[in-house]
Amino acid sequence: MINVIGLDGWRFREAQTDEWLSAKVPGCVHTDLLQHGKIPDPFIGMNEIEVQWVDKQDWIYEAYFEIDANQLQCQCVELVLEGLDTYADVRVNGQAVLSANNMFRVWRQDVKAFVQQGKNRLEIHFRSPITEDVPKLERLGYGLPAPNDQSEIGGLSDKKVSVFARKAPYHYGWDWGPRLVTSGIWREVRLEAWSGLTMRDLFIRQDQVSTERAELTAVVEIENADEIRDVELCISVDGGVWSKPVRLRKGKQTVELGLVIKEPKLWWCRGLGEPHQYTFVAELKEQAQEAVIAEKSVKTGLRSIRLVRERDTAGESFYFELNGIPVFAKGANHIPNDSFAAEVTLERYRHEIASAAASNMNMLRVWGGGIYEQDVFYDLCDEYGLLVWQDFMFACSMYPGDQAFLDNVAQEAEDNIKRLRRHPCIALWCGNNEIDSAWAHYEENAGWGWKKAYTPEQRERLWDDYETLFHRILPEAVNTWAPQTAYWPSSPLIDLTGDRNQHAHPSSTAGDIHYWGVWHASEPFENYHIHVGRFMSEYGFQSFPEYKSVRTYAEEKDLELESAVMLAHQKNGSGNRLIQEYMGRYMRQPKDFTCFLLMSQVLQAEAMKMAIEAHRRHKPYCMGTLYWQMNDCWPVASWSSMDYFGRWKALQYTAKRSFADVLLSAVDTEQGSKELHLVNDTLEPIAGTLRLTLLHIRGSQAIRDENVKVEQPAGGAGIVHILPTDQWLNGLDRTEHMLVARLIQNGEQVASREIYFAGTKEMDLPLAKIEVTEIQGSGGSRFMLCSDTLARHVWLTAEQEGIFCDNHLDLAPGIPKTVEFLTLRNGASAFEAAAPGALTVQSLVNWIQG
């Protein structure tokens, strides 16, 4: 059995000084310096600029560990470094044992020859990633495209060196994140002493899985420190046991054992069933003896999942099929939760994943400019039933193609595929983010204009390097280590046919689409109705955090859109201008800057509601909608639906409603009518009554009512009613009237929607009197909201940190809604009811100029 030896007493220093300071491991040099007051908090004000010197220095970390006589007698004493960021020379008792050059790899080295009984010293010398990589750029002779590398902030002029390091790309800056190029020990460090046999890995390969039968193969990686040895391999799960004799040679080897589970409990994503998981245990025993020599367990869910790309009358499908059921993917893109990855606690991860599940999501995309996430992230996705689209860590850049770089990436891919393949949540491995569409090798005038900066010979070399990496090395790694999981070379992409790629564009009828006409090209929100692809894997709109979050990085004097601090926390060069521009189109003028913050969230929510529901109305043509982005890595104005502190923006609440498994959605037709769509993502058919009520926005008396029988099969979507607007209004003012639609099934309301005949900017909203009444017996957590007139975008804020089950909601006159305040307590697996403390309530009319 493995004897794990920990390390303590970590300390660090700048390589050029003798001043040792205590260090936190896992961590990084920036957080250690901050702890000792050596740098200002880079998240506050303009401090990002003040810490750019850190990445130009070398740093040394050291710790001590004790080896006793029994441990020293073991055949192997291995140093295991789960994550070194990034260029590091490792010494044990002054002797060099390994040199690391990849943040994403696991480094393991037998150090038995270097350790001694008693006290031992581990030293890790981190070389500056800037000093290390500038010479690589100079040797290449020309720069590689890397538009998000904020080299100017780092004092490097146009020397964009991020592409040379196998390190998180976002550390060098992005259009939502700061440039904080870290060094340090960002994952666990330990020693493992063992003799005889050890199991390195246990993987349950799912060969054929259905509700009737799961045909599995236990793939066991074993290392034997002895000569030939005969053992018994036993696999057990839920009372079932499978075994076979195995002859092990010296060294590493892989042994396979077939398993069959009849009528298995399957793993389902949220909304389709329970995300059930099994725990498989592998044991190695001496033959004819019960003594266990080595053992390992793995928790996984049984499911079949495939990416379905089949020709149809419209083009080619692109969707995920889980256990034989087509899944409409609903969710968002995930970026790292912090610029300093080791700072993200279990509680912060759980808050994000629980928020995604509570928002009716079933998929997150781990975007390729961040990190391969910590194990706990995927454990939580398994637990909550969230599928994961997993990018390899390449984004928006061209990369080197020298053999050392390619070999490094191949090992990185193996390490991470093998680490993550046990998770039932993993639905897809994607080679990169946006590189194919940015380079657009086969279309001279397509792409982002990168090609034009290079000679024909350079172009061919860069494209050859691209194909080697994304069309050979990475797909081969997936096929070798996780053959049941689909690989997709780049997002977005239409297809890969022979030697010619078909590049994605907003009207593509195959592949996945990133649509950024709204936002980057200033196109109107209404274009979301037009540009709907088969799978919408990116689109988005920015907003600011709420006032409380903004004040963590800005003083009152900085609360002005063009202040230096506000611009420093807006990484998209056109961001503030675009928010203002769109607000002028769709909303009235805010009273002040604080109101502007809130209204930016309303604007973002309205844009994303339009996009999400357009995508869902086009089911099954469109089978996925993942907006950009779920979260933030620091407090900033960005595309996120939750800010850095985990506070839900208006978009998060809107996404929850627009991702509901049963959705009523309305859209205007060219003929002037309202199409009412019913989307049913459940496995049961819907048959009920659609109740339509016409109201004046200043009165609760119904002007007209109508009941319509509607139905929608399981998994279905489509028009259930066309409402002739002119006939319903019969000359009434469009800006003064609204429609309430409610779907009733078996006496229960299963969906509802407020529908308007005019845009928000056109409506002269009344100053609503909103009553908030605590519901007796709720422990102070539930409240009834009611308004005498229409109240748009009603926003509840609480004294305590938490969320509401619904917020940023519309109240039709006289029609109450009930909300509940929820918190995610430490150790809880779901949001729970709690008392919010003092409540305040506002609505859009409170924020706009009269």
Side-chain angles (χ1 to χ4, degrees):
M1 297 294 182
I2 292 176
N3 190 330
V4 177
I5 304 164
L7 296 95
D8 55 24
W10 283 100
R11 62 180 189 165
F12 81 111
R13 65 179 172 88
E14 188 179 340
Q16 301 303 314
T17 74
D18 295 323
E19 182 185 10
W20 287 100
L21 299 168
S22 62
K24 177 186 173 185
V25 173
C28 74
V29 67
H30 285 79
T31 51
D32 287 332
L33 289 168
L34 182 61
Q35 176 191 357
H36 290 283
K38 298 293 185 180
I39 60 171
D41 188 333
F43 290 177
I44 295 176
M46 304 286 291
N47 291 343
E48 175 195 358
I49 303 297
E50 302 302 315
V51 302
Q52 293 303 311
W53 63 272
V54 175
D55 62 42
K56 316 300 187 300
Q57 310 303 313
D58 289 4
W59 300 92
I60 297 175
Y61 280 72
E62 72 167 24
Y64 291 86
F65 58 94
E66 294 281 340
I67 296 280
D68 63 30
N70 290 332
Q71 292 164 342
L72 197 59
Q73 291 301 310
C74 289
Q75 291 169 291
C76 300
V77 179
E78 293 182 323
L79 176 62
V80 184
L81 305 124
E82 297 281 356
L84 297 179
D85 178 15
T86 292
Y87 298 110
D89 299 312
V90 182
R91 291 179 171 83
V92 173
N93 294 327
Q95 301 296 308
V97 297
L98 67 86
S99 184
N101 62 352
N102 189 321
M103 176 180 178
F104 304 124
R105 284 175 58 181
V106 176
W107 303 91
R108 181 184 291 269
Q109 181 66 44
D110 190 349
V111 295
K112 181 176 170 62
F114 306 104
V115 298
Q116 60 194 17
Q117 186 173 337
K119 192 173 185 179
N120 294 262
R121 178 173 178 265
L122 172 66
E123 176 188 293
I124 306 177
H125 183 132
F126 289 96
R127 307 191 305 279
S128 160
I130 306 306
T131 303
E132 186 78 14
D133 288 334
V134 166
K136 297 176 186 175
L137 173 62
E138 292 171 347
R139 285 194 297 271
L140 183 62
Y142 52 86
L144 296 175
N148 289 285
D149 183 329
Q150 297 170 13
S151 56
E152 296 84 359
I153 289 178
L156 299 177
S157 184
D158 61 349
K159 295 180 179 179
K160 300 184 182 299
V161 298
S162 56
V163 295
F164 297 100
R166 288 313 300 143
K167 174 176 173 58
Y170 82 110
H171 283 171
Y172 297 83
W174 218 266
D175 58 1
W176 37 257
R179 185 188 187 277
L180 295 167
V181 184
T182 60
S183 290
I185 306 165
W186 75 293
R187 283 180 173 159
E188 183 188 5
V189 177
R190 64 185 182 276
L191 286 99
E192 296 178 353
W194 61 278
S195 295
L197 299 174
T198 185
M199 269 192 270
R200 294 295 191 198
D201 190 44
L202 170 60
F203 171 51
I204 305 301
R205 191 177 70 223
Q206 303 185 28
D207 302 317
Q208 294 288 334
V209 175
S210 68
T211 55
E212 293 80 24
R213 179 182 175 93
E215 297 179 11
L216 315 171
T217 301
V219 182
V220 186
E221 188 177 298
I222 304 167
E223 185 161 358
N224 178 21
D226 297 323
E227 299 303 324
I228 291 176
R229 190 168 183 181
D230 293 319
V231 297
E232 189 83 9
L233 171 62
C234 298
I235 307 291
S236 60
V237 62
D238 267 18
V241 180
W242 297 260
S243 65
K244 77 173 185 179
V246 176
R247 171 160 287 189
L248 298 174
R249 66 183 185 278
K250 187 173 183 176
K252 294 180 181 178
Q253 53 234 277
T254 299
V255 178
E256 297 188 356
L257 176 57
L259 323 171
V260 173
I261 298 177
K262 295 181 179 178
E263 298 182 348
K265 294 181 180 178
L266 301 183
W267 183 92
W268 291 94
C269 65
R270 190 221 59 80
L272 294 183
E274 179 190 357
H276 182 82
Q277 295 186 77
Y278 289 89
T279 298
F280 292 80
V281 178
E283 296 177 329
L284 291 175
K285 302 177 180 180
E286 295 284 8
Q287 289 186 358
Q289 296 183 22
E290 289 301 313
V292 176
I293 311 166
E295 68 177 342
K296 194 171 186 65
S297 65
V298 66
K299 189 175 183 180
T300 191
L302 303 182
R303 85 288 183 269
S304 66
I305 188 162
R306 68 187 187 107
L307 175 64
V308 181
R309 296 174 55 232
E310 297 175 346
R311 297 296 302 174
D312 56 27
T313 56
E316 184 178 84
S317 67
F318 191 104
Y319 68 90
F320 294 94
E321 182 187 84
L322 179 64
N323 301 324
I325 302 296
V327 176
F328 188 101
K330 299 178 288 191
N333 286 259
H334 160 92
I335 67 170
N337 277 301
D338 208 291
S339 291
F340 310 121
E343 291 295 291
V344 186
T345 61
L346 167 61
E347 290 73 25
R348 287 175 67 183
Y349 274 122
R350 187 175 289 278
H351 178 78
E352 180 194 5
I353 303 307
S355 293
S359 302
N360 297 312
M361 296 182 180
N362 59 21
M363 178 175 275
L364 292 173
R365 175 186 175 219
V366 178
W367 165 79
I371 61 174
Y372 304 97
E373 273 293 354
Q374 308 281 20
D375 291 337
V376 64
F377 174 89
Y378 304 97
D379 289 338
L380 289 167
C381 288
D382 292 342
E383 176 187 342
Y384 285 82
L386 295 180
L387 295 165
V388 172
W389 169 313
Q390 178 67 53
D391 282 5
F392 286 97
M393 292 303 113
F394 300 90
C396 302
S397 304
M398 298 300 280
Y399 289 86
D402 59 275
Q403 196 59 48
F405 184 88
L406 297 176
D407 290 345
N408 199 358
V409 170
Q411 188 60 56
E412 167 192 323
E414 178 181 342
D415 284 0
N416 285 284
I417 295 168
K418 289 174 72 173
R419 177 171 70 94
L420 300 182
R421 62 185 178 176
R422 71 173 179 87
H423 292 282
C425 64
I426 300 292
L428 176 78
W429 281 95
C430 180
N432 68 71
N433 177 73
E434 295 186 340
I435 303 177
D436 182 278
S437 56
W439 184 258
H441 188 68
Y442 297 103
E443 298 178 39
E444 181 61 28
N445 296 316
W448 298 357
W450 289 355
K451 299 190 300 288
K452 298 184 185 303
Y454 298 91
T455 67
E457 294 77 13
Q458 289 170 339
R459 289 191 192 188
E460 290 305 318
R461 176 182 172 181
L462 288 172
W463 184 246
D464 184 63
D465 291 343
Y466 176 93
E467 289 194 307
T468 299
L469 185 54
F470 299 109
H471 298 169
R472 183 176 66 78
I473 290 176
L474 294 181
E476 286 178 2
V478 173
N479 187 57
T480 299
W481 305 112
Q484 275 72 35
T485 306
Y487 174 80
W488 188 237
S490 183
S491 178
L493 186 68
I494 297 176
D495 198 3
L496 181 65
T497 54
D499 63 351
R500 187 174 182 83
N501 290 23
Q502 298 180 18
H503 306 295
H505 54 82
S507 300
S508 297
T509 60
D512 72 310
I513 302 298
H514 294 190
Y515 172 54
W516 284 103
V518 174
W519 185 259
H520 287 302
S522 297
E523 294 178 14
F525 291 169
E526 290 75 16
N527 280 12
Y528 281 128
H529 298 314
I530 300 169
H531 299 302
V532 179
R534 308 308 296 261
F535 194 104
M536 305 300 293
S537 47
E538 264 196 40
Y539 57 95
F541 195 90
Q542 271 201 4
S543 71
F544 279 79
E546 61 184 83
Y547 173 80
K548 182 164 52 174
S549 297
V550 170
R551 285 289 282 111
T552 65
Y553 64 82
E555 302 292 337
E556 284 289 343
K557 63 181 176 60
D558 302 315
L559 299 186
E560 194 276 319
L561 201 57
E562 298 301 315
S563 74
V565 169
M566 215 55 61
L567 291 174
H569 287 255
Q570 166 57 276
K571 288 293 185 176
N572 181 258
S574 302
N576 292 355
R577 175 188 62 79
L578 284 168
I579 293 173
Q580 280 188 305
E581 177 184 323
Y582 277 101
M583 195 172 292
R585 283 192 215 175
Y586 293 102
M587 295 195 169
R588 299 191 179 187
Q589 190 71 18
K591 287 181 179 178
D592 53 32
F593 187 74
T594 301
C595 293
F596 174 83
L597 299 177
L598 291 164
M599 288 178 62
S600 76
Q601 292 195 18
V602 171
L603 188 67
Q604 177 192 38
E606 289 293 286
M608 294 298 92
K609 172 186 172 183
M610 193 175 292
I612 291 167
E613 296 191 12
H615 304 157
R616 294 193 67 193
R617 287 194 302 269
H618 280 80
K619 180 183 181 180
Y621 174 83
C622 177
M623 284 295 287
T625 179
L626 308 177
Y627 65 79
W628 185 270
Q629 67 209 59
M630 181 74 180
N631 55 327
D632 276 325
C633 69
W634 74 319
V636 66
S638 83
W639 295 268
S640 69
S641 55
M642 291 194 317
D643 72 22
Y644 172 72
F645 302 100
R647 294 167 182 150
W648 284 28
K649 295 182 179 180
L651 168 54
Q652 197 70 51
Y653 291 103
T654 296
K656 179 180 180 181
R657 291 191 293 270
S658 292
F659 283 150
D661 292 334
V662 178
L663 173 72
L664 277 175
S665 181
V667 65
D668 292 319
T669 70
E670 292 181 359
Q671 292 74 34
S673 298
K674 293 277 187 187
E675 284 181 354
L676 302 185
H677 291 245
L678 177 57
V679 183
N680 178 17
D681 283 345
T682 76
L683 299 180
E684 299 295 331
I686 290 174
T689 300
L690 183 61
R691 294 181 180 172
L692 303 173
T693 303
L694 182 67
L695 296 168
H696 192 285
I697 65 172
R698 288 177 170 78
S700 58
Q701 187 67 38
I703 298 171
R704 178 174 175 176
D705 284 305
E706 184 176 336
N707 291 336
V708 181
K709 294 294 183 182
V710 298
E711 59 184 34
Q712 197 64 267
I719 301 168
V720 291
H721 186 63
I722 296 179
L723 186 144
T725 302
D726 289 341
Q727 181 181 325
W728 265 72
L729 288 174
N730 193 26
L732 297 174
D733 189 338
R734 290 171 176 265
T735 68
E736 291 284 320
H737 293 81
M738 63 177 295
L739 189 72
V740 176
R742 287 169 282 194
L743 177 61
I744 309 299
Q745 181 176 241
N746 300 324
E748 298 287 333
Q749 180 174 298
V750 295
S752 67
R753 173 53 55 93
E754 292 81 27
I755 300 170
Y756 303 100
F757 302 104
T760 303
K761 185 177 182 179
E762 300 172 82
M763 298 178 71
D764 187 14
L765 295 172
L767 185 61
K769 180 183 177 182
I770 303 170
E771 295 183 359
V772 182
T773 307
E774 181 182 327
I775 295 176
Q776 297 301 311
S778 69
S781 67
R782 299 179 71 216
F783 304 87
M784 180 176 290
L785 309 181
C786 194
S787 177
D788 58 341
T789 63
L790 170 63
R792 296 291 313 272
H793 307 290
V794 174
W795 187 247
L796 285 164
T797 55
E799 181 182 6
Q800 303 298 320
E801 287 289 345
I803 65 169
F804 290 89
C805 69
D806 198 6
N807 207 349
H808 166 65
L809 52 87
D810 287 0
L811 286 175
I815 300 178
K817 289 186 178 180
T818 299
V819 298
E820 186 170 36
F821 184 73
L822 305 166
T823 60
L824 192 63
R825 298 184 178 92
N826 285 350
S829 60
F831 287 101
E832 299 174 348
L839 281 179
T840 59
V841 60
Q842 300 179 79
S843 67
L844 179 62
V845 73
N846 299 115
W847 309 325
I848 60 178
Q849 292 183 359

